[in-house]
Amino acid sequence: MNNLFKLENFTRRKLPTKFYSGLSALLQELGIDGNDVVDDFIINYVNHAYKHTQTKSSVYLTTGFSRHVVKKCLENQSTKKTDKRNAHYLLLLGELKKLSNKYKDGLIPIHGKFGSYTSAFNQTKPSDNIITAKSMLDNLLTIGVLNKLKDKVSFETTLQKEGLFKPESIINLLVSLMYRLSKTLYHNLQVESNEETLFQMTYYSNSIKPSKRKELTDGLRELARKHFYEYQALIDSYEDTELSNQGIEDLNNEIGISSFIFNNKNEE
């Protein structure tokens, strides 16, 4: 009898590293703690698996996490350790806020034994600290907490800059897009016919010269905005305008369409 199966068809599936590369770059730029991301993912993954299987052994087999991790997650014991870095971060910001209020223009000198960013950093750092004052400052500048003006720093204003995205709005967009995309893919995986699938497609080219890319993205942006007016009108025409806020909450559902333009360097 011929062997009708291949062993590789039965190996565990793994996500290509490309899945992580873009997400990691964005999360670091937003100043998101990677340890929190990993811990929260494990907790949610384990609890989701248990909700569907109702047995610890099935969770252990299907998620790939150790018995110890599964047990702790299901017993609602946090897998997070005390984060001294986060404590230092909050203490440092508190000291910097005090210094900012002392200076008339809110500008804090970076260097100096007293009344400076460096002195605040040294005053709040734990005894086993391995983070340097420069690396912490670079991080605070990168995530937009502080601004630098020559040899001084100040707190970034919380006022929204018109036309520009702030880290908070990008985080909200990322959460919404990832949730909606994942749910759409999950739905399409479960249905039995093409008529039941939700719309999901991508069209792209890898042969556009650099000199033409801005012209193309401008054209795509204009076209996307035009069609979004049509999407908006269609969705609005189906809305029940007589529903109360409580009625909307009771429905507990959203339906719509998302799209985005991409122009990325390929990564393996």
Side-chain angles (χ1 to χ4, degrees), residues 20-262:
Y20 306 100
S21 60
L23 184 60
S24 297
L26 177 58
L27 294 181
Q28 184 181 25
E29 184 68 19
L30 291 171
I32 301 296
D33 190 308
N35 191 61
D36 285 344
V37 173
V38 173
D39 284 350
D40 290 342
F41 171 75
I42 293 173
I43 292 170
N44 280 277
Y45 199 171
V46 168
N47 281 281
H48 173 80
Y50 185 74
K51 187 188 301 181
H52 284 74
T53 64
Q54 293 298 310
T55 65
K56 291 182 181 180
S57 60
S58 294
V59 174
Y60 169 68
L61 286 171
T62 58
T63 64
F65 299 124
S66 69
R67 290 184 177 87
H68 175 68
V69 169
V70 170
K71 184 174 183 292
K72 290 190 71 173
C73 289
L74 295 180
E75 291 176 352
N76 294 319
Q77 297 176 14
S78 175
T79 58
K80 296 181 182 179
K81 299 178 181 178
T82 303
D83 192 346
K84 293 182 179 179
R85 291 173 302 171
N86 190 52
H88 178 209
Y89 177 86
L90 294 176
L91 286 172
L92 173 60
L93 290 183
E95 288 301 314
L96 291 176
K97 186 62 180 175
K98 294 177 185 176
L99 288 177
S100 178
N101 293 332
K102 289 182 178 179
Y103 292 103
K104 185 177 180 181
D105 53 7
L107 292 174
I108 307 167
I110 295 177
H111 303 290
K113 291 185 177 180
F114 304 100
S116 68
Y117 161 79
T118 303
S119 65
F121 177 87
N122 290 331
Q123 181 181 340
T124 57
K125 70 178 182 180
S127 57
D128 59 348
N129 177 63
I130 62 170
I131 301 172
T132 65
K134 182 181 183 305
S135 61
M136 176 64 88
L137 178 59
D138 289 342
N139 179 256
L140 294 175
L141 293 171
T142 297
I143 64 177
V145 175
L146 298 179
N147 277 325
K148 184 177 180 182
L149 182 63
K150 295 183 179 179
D151 58 349
K152 296 181 179 181
V153 292
S154 64
F155 278 95
E156 171 67 274
T157 176
T158 57
L159 296 177
Q160 184 73 285
K161 295 179 181 176
E162 186 177 356
L164 296 177
F165 288 111
K166 299 287 287 182
E168 293 78 12
S169 61
I170 290 293
I171 290 172
N172 290 333
L173 282 172
L174 175 64
V175 170
S176 296
L177 284 173
M178 289 295 289
Y179 177 78
R180 291 165 182 165
L181 176 60
S182 297
K183 285 290 189 178
T184 298
L185 294 174
Y186 182 82
H187 170 87
N188 290 346
L189 186 63
Q190 301 298 314
V191 297
E192 297 180 356
S193 66
N194 286 333
E195 289 74 19
E196 298 176 89
T197 60
L198 296 172
F199 185 78
Q200 164 216 333
M201 69 175 297
T202 300
Y203 188 82
Y204 70 97
S205 172
N206 53 15
S207 60
I208 309 297
K209 292 183 178 179
S211 60
K212 293 291 185 179
R213 289 174 190 168
K214 186 180 185 307
E215 180 181 340
L216 174 57
T217 54
D218 288 347
L220 288 172
R221 188 184 298 110
E222 183 179 349
L223 190 61
R225 284 173 176 165
K226 173 187 174 182
H227 286 298
F228 253 79
Y229 287 126
E230 298 173 8
Y231 301 149
Q232 181 180 3
L234 179 61
I235 292 172
D236 289 350
S237 70
Y238 278 84
E239 282 196 332
D240 188 337
T241 57
E242 296 181 359
L243 274 178
S244 64
N245 289 338
Q246 184 60 51
I248 294 174
E249 289 183 11
D250 292 340
L251 287 175
N252 192 30
N253 186 74
E254 61 176 8
I255 180 171
I257 184 169
S258 293
S259 69
F260 59 93
I261 299 168
F262 54 90

